[in-house]
Amino acid sequence: MFADDFSQSVARFPIVALEGPSGIGKSTLLDLISDNLVRAGVSFDLCRNNDSGRWSSVIRDLARVLDRPLTLALAAAAARAELREGAHQFQLCDRFVASTLVYQRFAGLPVSYLYEVNRPLLAGSVTFILRLEAETLEARRRSRPGKSDWFKDRLRLSDEIELYDEATTFLRGNGHDVRVVDASPDETTLSRQLATEIAGMWKRAGS
């Protein structure tokens, strides 16, 4: 009972997370969706999960080498906890819990542990997972410059996609709202579709 109450107190405001393999276009879509939501009169905070705030440099340093995977997993969870506890309105972000079930799992940590650490932070959340077949995603990656890190250097693209599929199944099986999105349409079209869906959620939540 305490755990359920705690989860609800952390999730005072809904959160929408945009997830998917590296290079699939999350950052670009996040900016376009944000522009559409502003035009629709939706009030929200744009949160780039680990790319801002006090945890950013710690997480990026740990991810470069990954000789301390447990430390990295806890630091990432701490960044999400601070994001949720400091929220003052509806939140839109990328790289939330699904990514931990992919990358920290690949680093050798059990899914059960990663889930329990992050479970309270998933309350009141909706996760959109962008998906492409490996060949299409590989072509998209080649067309965009990307930062190198431990995961990109060692995790095969097909395995990364498979791990996201497994994370989707796991989170859905535990009752969380996870929606798979075909990322093949052009960014303008896809951002409008997602913004319309998110705006509807915002209105239904009475934000």
Side-chain angles (χ1 to χ4, degrees):
M1 186 61 129
F2 172 77
D4 291 340
D5 291 343
F6 178 71
S7 295
Q8 294 305 318
S9 68
V10 170
R12 292 172 294 171
F13 299 94
I15 186 166
V16 172
L18 195 65
E19 288 270 20
S22 300
I24 203 166
K26 294 182 299 298
S27 297
T28 301
L29 273 176
L30 201 66
D31 290 335
L32 293 172
I33 290 169
S34 298
D35 291 343
N36 279 284
L37 291 176
V38 169
R39 286 194 291 271
V42 176
S43 301
F44 66 98
D45 287 328
L46 179 60
C47 319
R48 295 192 184 277
N49 191 25
N50 300 328
D51 289 346
S52 60
R54 73 182 79 190
W55 295 98
S56 176
S57 60
V58 173
I59 290 169
R60 293 195 173 278
D61 285 345
L62 290 168
R64 286 192 184 100
V65 179
L66 206 68
D67 57 346
R68 288 168 287 172
L70 183 60
T71 304
L72 174 57
L74 292 172
R80 296 183 191 107
E82 188 166 56
L83 181 71
R84 300 238 60 185
E85 291 181 322
H88 299 292
Q89 59 183 343
F90 170 80
Q91 297 168 290
L92 175 65
C93 79
D94 62 355
R95 288 283 191 232
F96 203 55
V97 175
S99 61
T100 267
L101 299 184
V102 171
Y103 302 112
Q104 271 74 59
R105 177 188 171 189
F106 177 72
L109 297 181
V111 171
S112 57
Y113 170 77
L114 295 168
Y115 177 65
E116 286 305 317
V117 169
N118 288 278
R119 182 172 60 87
L121 311 175
L122 282 163
S125 69
V126 177
T127 301
F128 291 96
I129 296 188
L130 303 174
R131 197 184 191 287
L132 285 174
E133 294 302 322
E135 289 184 3
T136 307
L137 180 53
E138 179 62 34
R140 184 172 292 186
R141 276 188 177 182
R142 287 196 299 267
S143 69
R144 298 173 178 177
K147 300 176 182 177
S148 179
D149 60 29
W150 191 93
F151 298 109
K152 290 178 184 175
D153 294 340
R154 292 165 176 81
L155 179 56
R156 291 190 309 169
L157 183 54
S158 58
D159 292 336
E160 188 174 1
I161 293 170
E162 183 177 348
L163 286 170
Y164 267 105
D165 289 344
E166 292 176 5
T168 298
T169 300
F170 180 87
L171 290 172
R172 283 177 170 172
N174 281 279
H176 302 290
D177 189 346
V178 180
R179 310 177 190 187
V180 178
V181 177
D182 176 10
S184 58
D186 67 89
E187 292 162 339
T188 299
T189 299
L190 187 55
S191 64
R192 287 175 179 167
Q193 292 172 349
L194 289 172
T196 298
E197 190 170 348
I198 293 167
M201 292 160 41
W202 176 78
K203 290 176 182 177
R204 288 191 295 275
S207 300

